[in-house]
Amino acid sequence: MLCQLCNERTATIHLTEISEGMRMESHLCETCAQKQGLAVKSQIPLNELLSTLLAAQSESQGGDAPAEAVADLKCPACGMSFKQFVQKSQLGCPNDYRAFGEPLKAVIEKAQNGRLQHRGKVPSSAPVDTRDQIRMMSLRQQLEEAVRNEDYEQAAKLRDIMGNLQ
Amino acid sequence: MKPADLSNHISQWFDGTGPGADIVISSRIRLARNLAGYEFLSCLTNPRQGEVLKKLKEALLSLDLGEAVFFVDIDASSALEQDVLVERHLISRQHARGKGPRGVVIAPSESFTAMINEEDHLRIQVFKTGLQLKECWQQIDRIDSSMEQKVSYAFNAEYGYLTACPTNVGTGIRVSVMLHLPALKMTGQIDKFFNAARDSDLMVRGLFGEGTEAVGDFFQVSNQVTLGVSEEQVVNEFVELIVPKITQYEAAAREVLLSQQSDAVDDKIQRALGVLKNARLISSQEALFLLSHVRMGINLGRVEGISMEAVNELFMLTQPAHLQINSGGALDADRRDAMRAKMIRSRLCAN
């Protein structure tokens, strides 16, 4: 069934309204339902996040020129522009993480609750110092947590492990 | 092995035998990975997408996973076969309806699947019945490390594992539990649970059906943040904090229902049974809704003579694609509703 409003996309939201004894049914796609303020969002609306972010950047820098500069950022490896990323909310290749620099960092910070540094598994093929660095940062975080929870036994253990790594 | 060979029995992750399975039906962990040196799917040409598929398929099939895994070419599968895999949660709807060379490697026990060329090049998943997230993590970590010996993943020191969407970057981990929360729903506290989950950066979705609507009081709760926290931290938070809290609320709500509104609860359960045992046409939504009440009734000790196994099996086998593939081909909605009603009657009345 097609959406009643745009007649293009499949209707995935089906509404039955009963008012003054009259029954009204409407069938909408997610996009049109959202425009009507109806759809329940289940995930971070990344598209929305990105466009607000771009708009905010252009305002804070006074004028459209810097926003255009951001939108025109292009990855030399896959050819995707920042603007295309905003439209698709999908990156083009691993190099985009480097090519889109600060603007992408701002997006990641929003999507990841303020976090910007990986703490976790590192492939065994990664250089040893990369692995140790990430491990150290993760241990430091755990140490701070242990101290905050006054778990001094755990803190001492973590300090020993960190000492051995250095 | 083919998708149709899976369709006549229940998935292990839904068999209700795991620890705490009256509330926590199952645990799942997924890792998102991409190959270094290849564009993400949005910029990958068809021939290169084929190369990624071949590389990952060969690597996956050469792993020692403790059982003989099999590969399904999703691009060459029928819509019905694709839908059976979606209904069993082995692939996503997005993967089923995607484009170009793509596939999935499945373990016959359905405890492990690996989607190739979904949103990322590789998405590995491990499922277990009940609350067994630590076990899921141990297993998926081992599988992921063996894959690393065979292919090289896109990774950098700052952002960790690089993914097509920045919402997965870092560990690429999605930790989920599937929950049955009928008492929170009945006592009108489910919205409180939604809000609390959202405040703790968790994502809540319905387990069955499309979109956000939770049919039959089944919910899936997952982490949202993938960067700046280690895999163990995410898993521990679920095991030690999030799941115990939700379980406690649901158990308390069940107690309240039994002690203060036992007539209302019994009425709901018996009416559900009445319809299920007598209906001649039943939609999958209505079946899920009513079976959910019966499942709660069995867990509360209010239903006799019907096994949990039979009810769990009906949840899975009465889904549209399962009904059709088990009856040998496509059926229109009316025929499906009649077949579904017949299947439910025969299973519930035989007991």
Side-chain angles (χ1 to χ4, degrees):
Chain A
M1 182 189 295
L2 287 179
C3 169
Q4 291 174 335
L5 286 180
C6 63
N7 266 320
E8 278 171 21
R9 291 171 288 261
T10 317
T12 52
I13 289 158
H14 310 278
L15 263 183
T16 309
E17 277 179 280
I18 299 170
S19 92
E20 296 174 49
M22 292 279 284
R23 191 185 157 95
M24 284 253 304
E25 282 189 13
S26 35
H27 308 278
L28 307 172
C29 69
E30 197 132 328
T31 316
C32 292
Q34 254 179 35
K35 279 186 199 148
Q36 311 260 308
L38 288 174
V40 187
K41 285 170 197 157
S42 58
Q43 278 164 306
I44 300 181
L46 192 68
N47 284 320
E48 224 168 87
L49 187 76
L50 293 170
S51 16
T52 11
L53 216 87
L54 272 181
Q57 268 170 357
S58 83
E59 263 172 39
S60 68
Q61 288 162 10
D64 287 335
E68 260 168 40
V70 168
D72 287 344
L73 267 178
K74 214 175 189 140
C75 169
C78 66
M80 184 178 268
S81 70
F82 194 72
K83 193 175 169 190
Q84 284 171 311
F85 161 57
V86 172
Q87 283 160 355
K88 292 188 193 174
S89 68
Q90 296 278 313
L91 291 161
C93 77
N95 189 58
D96 290 358
Y97 281 96
R98 201 161 301 161
F100 294 157
E102 288 301 316
L104 181 60
K105 197 172 203 164
V107 172
I108 293 176
E109 197 174 3
K110 272 244 159 114
Q112 297 287 352
N113 205 7
R115 317 210 181 212
L116 283 168
Q117 172 59 55
H118 175 56
R119 308 239 154 102
K121 190 169 179 175
V122 178
S124 53
S125 58
V128 175
D129 55 337
T130 305
R131 240 182 303 160
D132 286 348
Q133 259 177 34
I134 292 175
R135 183 119 192 270
M136 278 300 268
M137 284 187 285
S138 176
L139 286 167
R140 203 167 296 138
Q141 196 184 25
Q142 286 174 45
L143 179 66
E144 280 168 21
E145 230 175 83
V147 172
R148 209 174 18 235
N149 297 332
E150 300 183 5
D151 185 351
Y152 298 113
E153 202 177 318
Q154 174 71 2
K157 237 186 256 167
L158 289 165
R159 220 177 16 234
D160 289 347
I161 302 174
M162 287 167 76
N164 287 336
L165 265 180
Q166 267 165 349
Chain B
M1 219 167 165
K2 298 193 303 288
D5 300 330
L6 296 170
S7 62
N8 59 5
H9 63 274
I10 191 161
S11 302
Q12 254 178 31
W13 59 262
F14 200 16
D15 68 3
T17 57
D22 58 331
I23 296 173
V24 189
I25 294 164
S26 66
S27 309
R28 180 190 77 135
I29 294 186
R30 178 217 80 192
L31 294 176
R33 298 287 186 255
N34 288 277
L35 291 183
Y38 284 89
E39 299 78 17
F40 295 140
L41 269 298
S42 67
C43 282
L44 202 60
T45 59
N46 214 56
R48 280 173 70 75
Q49 192 174 330
E51 270 176 53
V52 170
L53 176 64
K54 188 164 173 279
K55 246 189 178 166
L56 287 172
K57 176 185 162 186
E58 276 168 13
L60 285 162
L61 292 179
S62 71
L63 294 180
D64 180 15
L65 291 160
E67 58 184 313
V69 295
F70 64 100
F71 173 79
V72 180
D73 182 339
I74 297 295
D75 205 29
S77 298
S78 70
L80 206 52
E81 285 173 319
Q82 292 173 356
D83 287 347
V84 165
L85 296 176
V86 173
E87 285 177 358
R88 299 181 83 78
H89 294 247
L90 297 172
I91 65 171
S92 64
R93 202 161 288 276
Q94 185 185 346
H95 197 43
R97 301 291 179 258
K99 276 192 206 122
R102 63 196 191 285
V104 60
V105 172
I106 301 173
S109 68
E110 297 175 71
S111 62
F112 162 83
T113 83
M115 287 187 278
I116 305 171
N117 291 336
E118 198 234 28
E119 183 181 300
D120 293 296
H121 296 151
L122 179 63
R123 288 195 163 189
I124 316 173
Q125 305 187 83
V126 166
F127 299 86
K128 290 193 187 296
T129 165
L131 179 60
Q132 298 195 66
L133 283 172
K134 287 191 175 171
E135 292 78 2
C136 284
W137 166 244
Q138 280 165 7
Q139 189 178 339
I140 204 167
D141 183 31
R142 208 167 44 233
I143 296 170
D144 179 56
S145 298
S146 334
M147 276 300 280
E148 270 174 19
Q149 308 296 319
K150 298 172 190 285
V151 295
S152 73
Y153 289 147
F155 180 91
N156 82 29
E158 188 181 6
Y159 291 138
Y161 292 94
L162 304 177
T163 51
C165 182
T167 50
N168 295 311
V169 81
T171 52
I173 201 171
R174 190 77 68 218
V175 170
S176 317
V177 279
M178 312 197 195
L179 306 163
H180 189 213
L181 306 175
L184 283 178
K185 182 74 176 287
M186 259 186 91
T187 52
Q189 299 178 79
I190 203 81
D191 286 335
K192 254 198 275 178
F193 155 70
F194 284 148
N195 292 336
R198 251 170 233 138
D199 288 345
S200 335
D201 286 315
L202 297 170
M203 191 163 25
V204 183
R205 281 187 306 175
L207 177 57
F208 290 107
E210 288 175 62
T212 52
E213 205 185 338
V215 189
D217 314 326
F218 290 96
F219 301 90
Q220 183 174 316
V221 177
S222 322
N223 68 304
Q224 232 169 44
V225 173
T226 53
L227 186 64
V229 275
S230 72
E231 295 84 349
E232 284 91 353
Q233 280 174 297
V234 179
V235 169
N236 282 342
E237 209 186 331
F238 265 83
V239 175
E240 277 151 32
L241 220 69
I242 299 166
V243 176
K245 213 172 247 175
I246 302 173
T247 313
Q248 200 187 327
Y249 286 148
E250 170 67 17
R254 289 182 185 186
E255 292 249 316
V256 168
L257 281 180
L258 274 188
S259 62
Q260 293 170 16
Q261 304 175 44
S262 62
D263 283 344
V265 174
D266 284 337
D267 182 65
K268 214 160 213 172
I269 297 165
Q270 294 306 326
R271 277 172 188 269
L273 272 173
V275 173
L276 289 168
K277 283 182 172 174
N278 292 289
R280 293 305 193 259
L281 291 173
I282 193 163
S283 71
S284 63
Q285 297 242 339
E286 189 181 6
L288 280 172
F289 178 78
L290 297 172
L291 284 167
S292 167
H293 289 165
V294 176
R295 190 178 191 277
M296 176 177 72
I298 297 175
N299 278 328
L300 293 178
R302 312 299 277 194
V303 174
E304 274 168 24
I306 293 177
S307 71
M308 184 59 96
E309 204 186 339
V311 173
N312 283 341
E313 200 171 66
L314 283 173
F315 276 114
M316 187 140 272
L317 302 186
T318 58
Q319 297 180 93
H322 275 77
L323 268 185
Q324 295 177 71
I325 212 156
N326 287 331
S327 74
L331 296 170
D332 61 33
D334 288 343
R335 291 272 301 139
R336 288 206 299 272
D337 289 353
M339 267 191 68
R340 183 177 296 115
K342 194 172 161 200
M343 178 187 234
I344 294 173
R345 280 202 314 275
S346 75
R347 304 264 169 135
L348 292 186
C349 298
N351 263 260

